[in-house]
Amino acid sequence: MNTIKNHIGINIFSKAILMMVLLYSFMTVSARNLKVESPNGKISVQVFNENNTENAKWFLKVNYFNDGKMAETISSIDLGLILSDGISFTDMKLLKSSKPLLIKENYTMPHGKSLQRHNTGNEVVFTFENKEKKKLDVIIRVYNDGMAFRYSLSGKGNFTVQDELTSYSINQETTRWAEKWNPANEGLYSSMVGEKIQQEEWCYPTLFQTKDNNCWFLLHESAVDGSYCGSKLSNKEDKNKYKITFPDPKDGRGKGESLPKISLPWKSPWRVIIIGNLNDIVASTLVDDVAPPSVIKNTDWIKPGAVSWNYWSSNHGTKDFKTVCEFADLAVAMDWPYTLLDWEWDSMGNGGNLEDALKYIHSKGIKPLMWYNSGGEHTWVSSTPKDRMLTHENRVEEFTKLKKLGVAGVKVDFFESEKQDMIQYYLDILEDAAQFEMMVYFHGCLVPRGWAKTYPNLMTYEAVRGAEWYNNGPEFTATAPVHNTILPFTRNVVGSMDYTPVTFTNSQFPHLTSYGHELALSVVFESALQHFADRPEGYYELPDEPKKFMREVPTSWDETQLLQGFPGKDVVMARRKNNVWYVGGINGENIEKNINIKFDFLDKHNKYKLRLIKDGKHDKQLVTDDSVIESADSVDVKVLRRGGFAAVIFSIIN
């Protein structure tokens, strides 16, 4: 009897010891400083669970410190995945966290908002275990301009991701600028706060400003590849909780699976949050920084530049050989290296066919770009040529022809889905095009996901409500001025944007923006292939100095700085190419303004010549002023309602 009591006592004692060991183990993990900080100490990400129990739901919390003030950027980010076969990473135990790893990268881009890229961050890997003893790593990187995190699963096996639980909790008093979800990403942005917050599905990227105005942040994703789908944000269930959401099954005419299928080992796309002041947001290259490095070793053939484009002024322009020649002549007159043959080049007439047009273009010393329908059953659009990009065999055959014809690049249109198979289709096009040294840009497409770093032959994307919408109805006439001042803080932050800007004449529906506003868009908007969309006389009839500006304005930049601005109101952007600065300023509001430009971004040891091209007395007048400035100077510029200005600044050589 005593022996039995002793055994019982030993078992109770052993269990007590075991419980104490487990509790101590958990307390040791919990007592750690589960925090990752940026190298400059301004951004911190905490890892926590609300219950402080061993198995629990885990969250991230993001804070931003600036000028001695702390802003709670995001109060919590839900973590977790639900896979097929009943595998759930919801309630989890934190097993360990790695030592901080310093991430320091320098790389070069052949185009974009800055060519020499530098980033520094700290990475920590947190390893969790679910109830079935399966492990999930959450990799967190905190950079000086934001943070990114992703999931990682090791081992073997094939699964369907039933749901990704990633969700961003945003304070109701945080103002947000968001675009309602549409497959082409061509909507308008709505500004919302408090009771005015709408509950919808939303496109990337989405911009937020904290209540105290101390912090801005932008939500996006990067490094999406064929192992996953593109995602979007939804606050339908909770207006202040933006959850990662998979594509609608109906997208792409219902073709393809909306739930991604993964094979282990696997890593998710990066969930990216750019954080800081507005200049930090605009200048950030974080979406590219976390993407995989370039797979193209020799990029000498990748040449950004301006393009003449006949579609805006004549919807069926490429069908007409004489129109094609007129726009080739425009490119020559304006010193632009490219002209685009848009849809219907395969049915060209009125004096010549495709071969005749290409021969004419080459005789003028410029290079043609050509349009393609993405093809397949995923698009309703029947415009030709169709299906020539659809398979590897199609692409090899077509790129072989294009190479012989001296075509420099292709525009591929109408994707209409961000499902996993469509993500792979995009990347297959880029991969095959690179083998033929062919530049690519996408229309009717997703917003940038960092692919231009991996495939720098990807020059630009549409994914924006651009000047083409002046042809789609009367709405854009009234909404364009404000819309133009939101894009530099949202869509254009994350990659090149083919807005097709700088149109002085009217197409089917008129502008309210001034000539100064339109000229400024060549600097305010960044696109490695910048399609200037106006008809030839729109540029030929400009005064000499604006015309010279349009000939010389670059389409890729060494440095980008926001000088001032606020989404929906106005923007002043400065971009540098070599030793020359270009400045563009636009007013989105229906009031005249005096905008003060400070030049403290210039070298204080030099003097500079400022050539300022600004609004005149009315919308269609441009006035040019020349002056000598130094970095301590500032200049007041009067802009009209919905007006603007452009400037060139270059050093005076003593």
Side-chain angles (χ1 to χ4, degrees):
M1 194 74 171
N2 287 335
T3 304
I4 295 172
K5 287 182 178 179
N6 287 341
H7 277 298
I8 294 172
I10 290 169
N11 286 338
I12 293 172
F13 180 73
S14 298
K15 289 180 179 178
I17 293 292
L18 179 61
M19 289 296 292
M20 289 177 66
V21 169
L22 289 173
L23 182 60
Y24 176 75
S25 175
F26 174 71
M27 288 176 64
T28 302
V29 172
S30 299
R32 289 181 199 156
N33 187 14
L34 299 181
K35 183 166 67 174
V36 190
E37 292 187 334
S38 60
N40 65 7
K42 285 190 173 183
I43 301 170
S44 71
V45 178
Q46 294 173 277
V47 182
F48 70 99
N49 75 68
E50 290 180 342
N51 300 328
N52 202 30
T53 56
E54 185 176 13
N55 286 288
K57 292 180 173 62
W58 289 83
F59 309 87
L60 306 180
K61 182 176 182 178
V62 184
N63 292 322
Y64 176 69
F65 298 87
N66 188 37
D67 295 331
K69 298 178 181 178
M70 189 276 283
E72 183 182 80
T73 306
I74 302 178
S75 59
S76 69
I77 303 173
D78 299 2
L79 298 176
L81 295 168
I82 297 177
L83 308 183
S84 55
D85 299 343
I87 298 172
S88 176
F89 293 97
T90 51
D91 292 338
M92 299 183 291
K93 177 169 67 175
L94 177 61
L95 296 182
K96 62 180 180 178
S97 59
S98 69
K99 292 181 179 179
L101 173 68
L102 179 65
I103 304 292
K104 197 169 186 179
E105 185 182 20
N106 300 308
Y107 64 98
T108 302
M109 291 281 287
H111 49 75
K113 68 175 77 172
S114 58
L115 302 190
Q116 298 299 324
R117 306 287 181 88
H118 312 281
N119 62 78
T120 306
N122 290 316
E123 177 184 286
V124 176
V125 180
F126 294 87
T127 301
F128 296 90
E129 184 180 74
N130 68 3
K131 293 178 180 178
E132 293 78 35
K133 305 298 182 184
K134 296 185 182 296
K135 294 179 178 58
L136 173 72
D137 286 340
V138 178
I139 306 167
I140 299 175
R141 290 184 180 180
V142 186
Y143 293 84
N144 290 335
D145 58 345
M147 64 87 69
F149 67 97
R150 73 193 314 183
Y151 302 106
S152 177
L153 292 167
S154 57
K156 294 181 180 180
N158 300 308
F159 301 93
T160 298
V161 181
Q162 303 287 354
D163 197 8
E164 180 176 334
L165 304 179
T166 307
S167 180
Y168 306 90
S169 294
I170 310 294
N171 187 297
Q172 182 170 316
E173 295 177 320
T174 295
T175 305
R176 58 214 69 189
W177 287 260
E179 175 190 344
K180 185 178 177 181
W181 165 252
N182 63 96
N185 295 279
E186 293 182 29
L188 295 170
Y189 278 82
S190 299
S191 174
M192 297 167 283
V193 67
E195 296 303 316
K196 294 183 179 180
I197 295 170
Q198 302 168 31
Q199 292 182 254
E200 296 282 358
E201 290 183 340
W202 304 101
C203 298
Y204 285 119
T206 301
L207 178 69
F208 299 84
Q209 180 194 25
T210 57
K211 178 187 177 183
D212 58 9
N213 303 329
N214 196 38
C215 178
W216 294 79
F217 59 99
L218 190 79
L219 297 184
H220 197 42
E221 65 181 3
S222 180
V224 182
D225 60 25
S227 69
Y228 213 61
C229 61
S231 72
K232 54 191 171 184
L233 299 170
S234 175
N235 69 339
K236 280 190 169 183
E237 292 188 9
D238 181 338
K239 72 176 183 178
N240 290 307
K241 208 163 191 176
Y242 290 80
K243 183 184 177 302
I244 296 286
T245 308
F246 294 148
D248 190 311
K250 296 179 181 178
D251 291 348
R253 295 183 67 190
K255 305 301 178 182
E257 298 293 328
S258 60
L259 298 180
K261 299 182 184 301
I262 63 174
S263 297
L264 306 191
W266 168 83
K267 287 184 172 66
S268 75
W270 287 103
R271 306 302 173 205
V272 178
I273 311 171
I274 301 172
I275 303 168
N277 58 38
L278 270 182
N279 184 49
D280 296 327
I281 302 292
V282 168
S284 175
T285 59
L286 189 56
V287 173
D288 288 339
D289 293 345
V290 297
S294 175
V295 298
I296 302 174
K297 292 182 179 179
N298 175 24
T299 60
D300 292 344
W301 54 275
I302 299 171
K303 304 287 187 184
V307 189
S308 67
W309 183 52
N310 64 42
Y311 177 82
W312 183 82
S313 57
S314 177
N315 290 167
H316 300 278
T318 304
K319 206 171 183 179
D320 189 301
F321 171 74
K322 290 181 180 177
T323 299
V324 171
C325 293
E326 288 172 2
F327 277 81
D329 293 340
L330 170 64
V332 174
M334 299 301 292
D335 293 329
W336 300 338
Y338 303 108
T339 190
L340 170 64
L341 306 184
D342 216 299
W343 66 334
E344 299 178 318
W345 52 257
D346 56 338
S347 57
M348 193 183 304
N350 193 26
N353 58 20
L354 173 66
E355 288 72 20
D356 298 321
L358 294 176
K359 184 177 179 181
Y360 184 85
I361 291 166
H362 285 302
S363 75
K364 295 294 183 176
I366 57 173
K367 295 180 180 180
L369 307 168
M370 289 173 57
W371 180 94
Y372 287 85
N373 189 329
S374 70
E377 294 300 314
H378 59 268
T379 176
W380 294 97
V381 181
S382 59
S383 303
T384 61
K386 190 175 180 180
D387 295 343
R388 300 191 193 185
M389 293 288 132
L390 195 57
T391 68
H392 172 70
E393 292 73 22
N394 293 154
R395 292 188 292 272
V396 168
E397 180 181 356
E398 197 67 15
F399 288 146
T400 300
K401 292 177 184 177
L402 295 180
K403 195 70 176 175
K404 290 179 180 177
L405 292 171
V407 174
V410 294
K411 169 183 176 179
V412 189
D413 208 343
F414 302 123
F415 290 88
E416 303 179 30
S417 165
E418 297 185 13
K419 295 175 183 176
Q420 187 173 10
D421 62 337
M422 194 59 61
I423 296 296
Q424 188 60 56
Y425 181 31
Y426 280 110
L427 299 176
D428 287 344
I429 292 172
L430 294 172
E431 181 74 37
D432 288 342
Q435 303 306 312
F436 289 85
E437 296 190 346
M438 194 72 57
M439 297 185 293
V440 177
Y441 54 110
F442 296 127
H443 264 232
C445 62
L446 81 180
V447 296
R449 298 303 210 281
W451 294 346
K453 180 185 178 185
T454 312
Y455 294 96
N457 60 323
L458 175 53
M459 308 301 288
T460 191
Y461 314 62
E462 186 184 28
V464 66
R465 180 165 293 203
E468 186 177 289
W469 279 77
Y470 283 113
N471 291 342
N472 294 346
E475 163 267 310
F476 202 54
T477 296
T479 58
V482 167
H483 180 61
N484 292 349
T485 66
I486 296 173
L487 294 175
F489 305 107
T490 51
R491 164 63 183 86
N492 211 183
V493 170
V494 301
S496 282
M497 180 180 77
D498 196 23
Y499 179 103
T500 61
V502 193
T503 52
F504 300 104
T505 67
N506 289 323
S507 187
Q508 294 185 40
F509 296 93
H511 295 77
L512 291 180
T513 52
S514 75
Y515 275 26
H517 184 117
E518 289 296 317
L519 186 67
L521 296 182
S522 63
V523 178
V524 172
F525 294 159
E526 179 269 315
S527 181
L529 289 175
Q530 188 75 281
H531 291 73
F532 293 129
D534 208 348
R535 49 181 55 83
E537 55 267 33
Y539 301 112
Y540 292 153
E541 294 173 5
L542 289 173
D544 289 345
E545 291 307 325
K547 192 185 300 180
K548 183 174 186 289
F549 185 92
M550 289 298 300
R551 286 194 183 104
E552 296 177 353
V553 64
T555 67
S556 64
W557 306 95
D558 294 326
E559 184 179 353
T560 292
Q561 288 194 34
L562 174 71
L563 301 188
Q564 64 184 76
F566 192 92
K569 293 185 177 181
D570 49 55
V571 184
V572 182
M573 192 82 74
R575 302 189 194 265
R576 179 178 60 83
K577 184 69 172 181
N578 298 323
N579 295 319
V580 180
W581 283 92
Y582 291 78
V583 180
I586 59 172
N587 177 16
E589 295 187 289
N590 195 31
I591 53 172
E592 292 187 355
K593 296 181 182 179
N594 280 306
I595 294 178
N596 181 257
I597 314 172
K598 293 182 172 64
F599 300 106
D600 50 4
F601 59 94
L602 299 174
D603 187 334
K604 65 181 179 181
H605 300 294
N606 289 344
K607 289 187 176 182
Y608 297 85
K609 181 175 179 180
L610 168 68
R611 173 155 291 165
L612 180 63
I613 307 170
K614 59 184 180 179
D615 289 330
K617 293 181 179 179
H618 55 79
D619 289 355
K620 294 179 173 57
Q621 185 180 52
L622 292 169
V623 176
T624 301
D625 288 338
D626 288 339
S627 59
V628 175
I629 60 168
E630 298 181 14
S631 65
D633 293 333
S634 64
V635 170
D636 286 324
V637 183
K638 182 180 178 181
V639 293
L640 298 175
R641 298 174 298 165
R642 308 169 302 275
F645 65 89
V648 186
I649 304 170
F650 51 90
S651 179
I652 297 173
I653 301 174
N654 295 324

